[in-house]
């Protein structure tokens, strides 16, 4: 098995600027790729490394961890054997690195089986892999927000999530009220505070936001205090979705106890890959809990992995906009149209990685 690691800095061609209350302004996406070549098939994994505002890990640490893992893994073993045994040997590496390995192994295993990943995971498909997705409106000027929203709606996206908590709640209310006035009930609107409010602020802000007909509010309070989350969920006039609070299977089990009061935002980069997210989805479905399959802003290979999981797990919500509008992605095959993200029917992830468009940092 030829194994290599590559990096790339990705930029959006539309002038989109990522800016949330947690991240601040983000100038580019720092992506890390794992390429597995057995001489017949190539498997690819991808993870974004400049997300320290989510996991506390700087990009250099994640890259060093990935190189350590690539050196230590016995790549002579079958991909399916490595996948099945990952819970026993991969725990010493960070969740982003586990995601990187897990996705590359899933891609290679599905390609060897000559199946799209969604069917390899137990799902079904006929003529392609596609799902409706929301779009996020990042912190920006009022005019930019309305123009971006109009562009998304014209492209068929009717599920909008507004980043709040950067400025004063009055400005958040003004922005969302303008969206509601412009689009009425033809769009679904949600808000994401990225854990920026205190309990008292969250309770008051959620009461005021609910008057604008929001579908849910995401992560209104910081992660860690489940008692505070329980009190907010009990008092909130609309559903609460947790994102930053869902970083382990133990967190997923806590959501099960809320009996539908709390929704969960599942991401591969937080739980460590496709297999743990599929397991978390099954646990939540068994408890009758609603959840979202989502992602960070990231490239096409990571987006494809989340899309296949979405099509296999059938969540109530999907957030798969991460690769929309990237101008220099070394991975091709993902497209956005009519409010959905899709990949042509093919083997594995269904995407192609051009290694010459990325920077080689390690190979065996």
């Amino acid at each position: 098995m030829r194994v290599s690691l590559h990096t790339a800095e990705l930029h959006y061609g539309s002038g989109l600027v990522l800016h949330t209350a947690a991240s601040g302004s983000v100038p580019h996406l720092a992506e890390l790729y794992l390429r597995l070549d057995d001489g017949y098939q190539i498997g690819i994994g991808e993870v974004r490394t400049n997300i320290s505002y989510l996991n506390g890990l700087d990009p250099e640490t994640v890259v060093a961890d990935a190189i350590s893992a690539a050196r230590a893994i016995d790549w002579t073993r079958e991909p399916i054997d490595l996948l099945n045994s990952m819970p026993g040997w991969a725990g010493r590496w960070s969740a982003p690195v586990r995601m990187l390995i897990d996705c590359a192994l899933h891609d290679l295993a599905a390609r060897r089986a000559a199946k799209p990943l969604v069917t390899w995971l137990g799902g079904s498909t006929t003529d392609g892999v596609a799902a409706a997705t929301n779009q996020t409106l990042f912190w920006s000027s009022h005019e930019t927000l309305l123009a971006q929203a109009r562009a998304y709606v014209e492209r068929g996206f009717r599920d909008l999530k507004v980043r709040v908590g950067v400025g004063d709640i009055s400005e958040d209310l003004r922005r969302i009220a303008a969206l509601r006035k412009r689009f009425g009930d033809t769009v679904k609107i949600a808000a994401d505070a990225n854990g920026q409010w205190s309990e008292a602020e969250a309770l008051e802000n959620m009461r005021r936001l609910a008057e604008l007909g929001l579908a849910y509010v995401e992560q209104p309070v910081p992660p860690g205090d489940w008692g505070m989350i329980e009190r907010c969920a009990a008092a909130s006039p609309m559903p609460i979705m947790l994102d930053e609070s869902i970083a382990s299977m133990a967190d997923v089990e806590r959501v099960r106890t809320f009996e539908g009061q709390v929704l969960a935002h599942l991401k591969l980069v937080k739980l460590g890959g496709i297999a743990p997210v599929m397991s978390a989805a099954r646990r939540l479905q068994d408890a009758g809990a609603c959840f979202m399959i989502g992602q960070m802003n990231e490239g096409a290979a990571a987006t494809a992995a989340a899309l296949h999981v979405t099509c296999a797990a059938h969540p109530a919500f999907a957030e798969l906009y991460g690769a929309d509008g990237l101008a220099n992605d070394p991975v091709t095959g993902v497209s956005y149209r009519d409010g959905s993200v899709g990949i042509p029917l093919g083997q594995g992830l269904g995407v192609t990685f051009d290694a010459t468009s990325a920077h080689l940092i390690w190979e065996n």
Side-chain angles (χ1 to χ4, degrees), residues 223-236:
D225 188 336
W226 286 93
M228 179 167 59
I229 290 169
E230 183 175 2
R231 292 188 296 273
C232 286
S236 176

Side-chain angles (χ1 to χ4, degrees), residues 283-300:
R283 291 293 293 163
L284 292 169
Q285 286 168 333
D286 290 344
C290 288
F291 61 94
M292 171 186 280
I293 299 295
Q295 58 168 154
M296 309 299 294
N297 282 79
E298 54 199 341

